[in-house]
Amino acid sequence: MTSAASSSRSYRPFRWHIRITTLVVAVLGCMATLIMMAPAASALPVTARGFGYLSTGDGGFWLGSWRLADGTLAFCVNTERSTPNGQEYSYADGAALDWYDANDSARLAYISRTWAGTTDPIVAAAGQIATWTITGLGRHTQDELAAKADANASTVRDLARRMLEETEKSASLAVTAALEFALTPDGETTVTPALFLRTLTASDVRVPAGLHRAVVTLSGGTFANGEATAMVANGESTTIRVPTETALAGVMATARFEALPYGKGLRMAVARGSAQNLLTAHTAPVTAGAELASTLPSDRQFQPMVTTRTSASVAEAGASLHDTVVLGVRVTPATVSEWPVFGPPGGPFEPVPVTVRSRLLGPFEGEIELAREPPASAPVVCEVSLLVATGPGEYSTPACTIGGPGRYVWVETISPDDTASTEGGSRILPWSSPFGVATEITTVAVLPIPPASVTPPVVRSLPETGGTVSPVLQLLAVTIVLFAVGTACLACRRKRRLKA
């Protein structure tokens, strides 16, 4: 027992050593990992002057840029400190240093990316004065510093002032991206990526078109080449397609700009000692993105489907006729399955209007034979048109007055030329009716010939024996006849009384 206890006591310290060693190794490993992940703070000496002027007096005052060991050019920012020549520097993010407010950071960032990397000595000298004007001239003036350029003093001073004026207008605090859908005069839908700056004096200042390119990706639509992704320059419009078979579709676009030279980002070279710190020629790249969702009309073509019937299959000459038109959609694999609409992205939307042009032909003799086209020499009674702006349904054409006997036939056409491109005209497929459809024929019958009138019988007179009988003699004859008839009647009555 004693031996076992002694063995156990001797083993415990060994186990604690292992635990402590393991803990130390783990901590050292974590520290090593952090050290490897952290950026190396390597020292960069200023190796030489860059571009500018060395004055002939005052012991040789350098007015211009300085060159670091990696070739980077930079401007001094502390007029009262010693020269950077031969000093060691390390790079630092200007925002982390918090040396300048947002506006001055934006000004210095603009100078940094616009002029600090110049190889022109006049521009470099002027850029150095502009930089010191923002960070502090100390006991110097612009004129005094410009004088270090000797014969070029006035040129350098004037350029420095113009630089400062341009900086006030063009320095930016931030950049944002945007997307726009639009309808062209030809009725096509376009997408446009845009960039906007927040400057020292204004917001939403549009960046001139064509300076930067974005990756634009579509969902629910494609570009003209059928792809869903394209490189598009800011401010430039690109046609897109909405291939959905329905009248409307939801389309989303995203845009992303990379490495934009805007904003207030700075990279400073910080001196190890008391020398001047440096504003390096560096573009702190920024990104900007945007997305936009909207409802857009399908740009598939549209095939009208039309059935027609005349208002009367039989009529009289001089009657008034109209045609009844029933409009719908003929669906094919390549066309839209609903009545199409037009309107700006996002709406409001209206049905695509169509114009039905109707002709009443005739009269024709004999039977009408069905044909794809009417006879070229067919007589035209009238031509009328019907504008349909409310989509599918049943409509009546204006009326026409028909003439004499025969058969009359309606024919109709729909042409995309009658509808403006902005209203969807370019999406309409033409349509025309065949000639001689039974429901489009009106017959005007020939009127029957009336029966001949009955001629009254002719009473023939007795042959004349000589001359014409006078009316007096005719009256005398009638009187004698009546007297004789009366005498006979009286005689009959006397006989009846005597017998009685």
Side-chain angles (χ1 to χ4, degrees), residues 47-259:
T47 58
R49 300 183 182 97
F51 299 90
Y53 296 97
L54 182 65
S55 67
T56 55
D58 302 327
F61 185 98
W62 176 250
L63 181 65
S65 60
W66 293 88
R67 187 186 303 277
L68 282 83
D70 63 356
T72 300
L73 296 173
F75 291 142
C76 294
V77 297
N78 312 104
T79 56
E80 304 303 323
R81 289 194 174 194
S82 60
T83 177
N85 195 23
Q87 300 297 316
E88 290 189 346
Y89 287 81
S90 59
Y91 291 132
D93 180 13
L97 295 173
D98 198 24
W99 288 350
Y100 310 104
D101 64 19
N103 286 354
D104 279 346
S105 293
R107 294 181 179 102
L108 292 172
Y110 186 79
I111 291 175
S112 165
R113 59 178 171 257
T114 307
W115 297 298
T118 183
T119 58
D120 186 314
I122 291 179
V123 174
Q128 178 61 84
I129 294 176
T131 300
W132 273 330
T133 302
I134 295 169
T135 61
L137 289 170
R139 65 179 183 274
H140 304 286
T141 65
Q142 289 181 343
D143 288 336
E144 178 187 344
L145 292 170
K148 307 303 181 181
D150 295 330
N152 296 300
S154 61
T155 301
V156 169
R157 180 200 59 210
D158 293 343
L159 179 56
R161 291 173 179 173
R162 291 199 300 273
M163 285 178 173
L164 290 168
E165 291 175 357
E166 180 181 330
T167 298
E168 285 300 304
K169 296 177 182 178
S170 302
S172 56
L173 296 164
V175 60
T176 56
L179 281 163
E180 302 166 351
F181 288 127
L183 194 65
T184 70
D186 295 330
E188 295 185 326
T189 302
T190 62
V191 62
T192 306
L195 287 170
F196 296 90
L197 299 178
R198 182 160 61 92
T199 67
L200 303 181
T201 57
S203 298
D204 297 330
V205 177
R206 196 178 188 103
V207 175
L211 297 183
H212 310 285
R213 294 172 70 81
V215 178
V216 180
T217 303
L218 299 174
S219 174
T222 68
F223 292 96
N225 60 2
E227 299 293 329
T229 300
M231 295 292 293
V232 185
N234 70 296
E236 296 185 359
S237 301
T238 301
T239 301
I240 65 174
R241 301 293 182 215
V242 184
T244 178
E245 67 175 15
T246 56
L248 290 169
V251 178
M252 174 174 282
T254 61
R256 184 169 180 83
F257 292 90
E258 300 281 355

Side-chain angles (χ1 to χ4, degrees), residues 327-339:
L327 292 176
V329 179
R330 181 181 173 220
V331 181
T332 72
T335 58
V336 71
S337 62
E338 301 173 336
W339 191 278

Side-chain angles (χ1 to χ4, degrees), residues 321-355:
L321 292 181
H322 67 267
D323 207 21
T324 298
V325 179
V326 181
L327 292 176
V329 179
R330 181 181 173 220
V331 181
T332 72
T335 58
V336 71
S337 62
E338 301 173 336
W339 191 278
V341 297
F342 74 96
F349 299 106
E350 299 178 45
V352 170
V354 297
T355 298

